[in-house]
Each structure stands twice: as C-alpha cells, then as structure tokens.
Amino acid sequence: DGTPVNIFASTSLVKDVAGNVIGLVSVNRDITAARHAEEMLQASEKRFRAMIEKSADAIALVDIQGAVVYASSSTERILGYAPEELLGHLLFEFIHPDDLTRVVTVFAGILEEPGRSLTVEYRLRHKDGSWRWMEGTGTNLLHEPAVQAIVGNHRDITERHLVEEERKQLERRKDDFITMAS
C-alpha cells in the first residue's frame, strides 16, 4: 500500500566449495511495530521523568533497610542536597532525633504488606543544618519488579506547621488570660 516500514535485514554471502560468491541470502523482518513501541516507551519515560523531576514534592526510592537508591531533583530545592549526595545514605540519618522512633515505626508498618501506604509528619535536616517539617507518604513497592523499593513522597510543611504552632500559642495565651480574668 506504499506505507513505509522499518526493516531489520541480515544478509550473508553464499560461496561454492572453491570460495566463489554464488549467491546472497537475506532475511528481512518488519520491525515497524517494535520501533513504534520503543518510541512510545521513550516518550512515556520522558513524560514520567518530567513529572517526577518537576514535582513540588521530593520523591525518593529507598531499599528495605531505608537506604536511598533514588532522589528526585526537587530534593535539592526542598532540602539543599543534590540527589547524588543522598544516594546510599539511610533516610533515618536525616530525621530529627525526637521523631526517629515514630518514623522507624511507620517504616516498619509499610514493610509489613506489599502495596501498603502510610503517612507521617516529621522533621528532616536541611543541608544548612536547619530542620524542616515534612509530611511523608511511603508506599511498599518492593514486590514490583520494575520498582523494588519503598516509594516516598515528601512535602515540606514547615510553614503550615509554624502557623499551627502560632495558633496553639495564641489559644494558650487566650486561655491563660481568661483564667487570670476569672
């Protein structure tokens, strides 16, 4: 029908007993569908990478021990660390000591069941030494051959947490004032 196709060709010379070329054998295979599938896969991977790398959340993959095997580029914007600076480090190294037990408990809960997701709030150390409040959701995808990791989405909620703390302090002052006035 005149439609162009992609062909994979394998050609060999055929020789007689004296070594003279007497023919040619060629095997041709239409690989148009395979080429199209490869192009679609590359486009899909490019879209996926763009979504992950430009996400407002930091995305990390950690192994069963909690070691970082992947960190998205948004990690640098949120925590100051370039992704490669985190590779191989235990996530727990960056958790505030007061929050560590809670995070380890949630991590253990995630490990209990394939596909399980849990969310926890905790403080994470920024590269500059300050602490950032994070909301992290981990999902156990260790059983998925293409992932084989815990997928973590981490959102900086420092501002929200500070506003909540201010509100609580105002409420306490108001209650103290009411008590003193009574």
Side-chain angles (χ1 to χ4, degrees):
D1 68 358
T3 303
V5 293
N6 293 302
I7 300 292
F8 174 80
S10 177
T11 307
S12 300
L13 298 175
V14 177
K15 297 180 183 180
D16 63 15
V17 289
N20 299 315
V21 175
I22 59 169
L24 189 66
V25 174
S26 183
V27 176
N28 298 301
R29 187 170 26 136
D30 182 348
I31 59 166
T32 304
R35 179 65 53 94
H36 180 68
E38 183 179 318
E39 290 169 356
M40 296 299 291
L41 180 61
Q42 288 174 351
S44 176
E45 185 175 327
K46 191 173 184 177
R47 271 192 307 277
F48 172 76
R49 185 165 302 282
M51 288 186 311
I52 295 299
E53 297 301 324
K54 303 304 179 193
S55 173
D57 293 353
I59 299 169
L61 300 179
V62 298
D63 66 16
I64 196 165
Q65 286 83 27
V68 178
V69 296
Y70 169 83
S72 65
S73 61
S74 52
T75 303
E76 189 164 11
R77 180 179 40 75
I78 295 170
L79 294 171
Y81 298 99
E84 55 274 5
E85 290 179 274
L86 299 174
L87 298 181
H89 286 275
L90 291 177
L91 177 64
F92 310 116
E93 295 174 33
F94 303 94
I95 305 290
H96 192 284
D98 293 345
D99 303 331
L100 187 57
T101 300
R102 183 173 61 256
V103 171
V104 168
T105 301
V106 168
F107 188 80
I110 292 167
L111 291 176
E112 289 177 357
E113 182 181 337
R116 187 170 196 190
S117 291
L118 294 174
T119 301
V120 63
E121 289 185 11
Y122 56 93
R123 286 163 287 183
L124 206 54
R125 187 178 65 243
H126 190 280
K127 188 173 182 177
D128 67 11
S130 65
W131 294 99
R132 302 293 165 94
W133 278 98
M134 305 296 285
E135 178 182 75
T137 300
T139 303
N140 181 345
L141 295 181
L142 290 163
H143 63 288
E144 292 287 336
V147 182
Q148 296 181 350
I150 304 297
V151 178
N153 293 293
H154 310 275
R155 173 174 292 136
D156 186 340
I157 60 166
T158 303
E159 291 300 318
R160 181 177 86 192
H161 202 272
L162 293 174
V163 168
E164 288 174 10
E165 282 301 311
E166 281 183 36
R167 184 189 57 75
K168 287 177 186 176
Q169 286 179 2
L170 287 173
E171 285 293 320
R172 283 192 293 270
R173 282 191 224 149
K174 179 180 138 190
D175 291 344
D176 290 347
F177 180 75
I178 292 171
T179 303
M180 289 177 16
S182 299

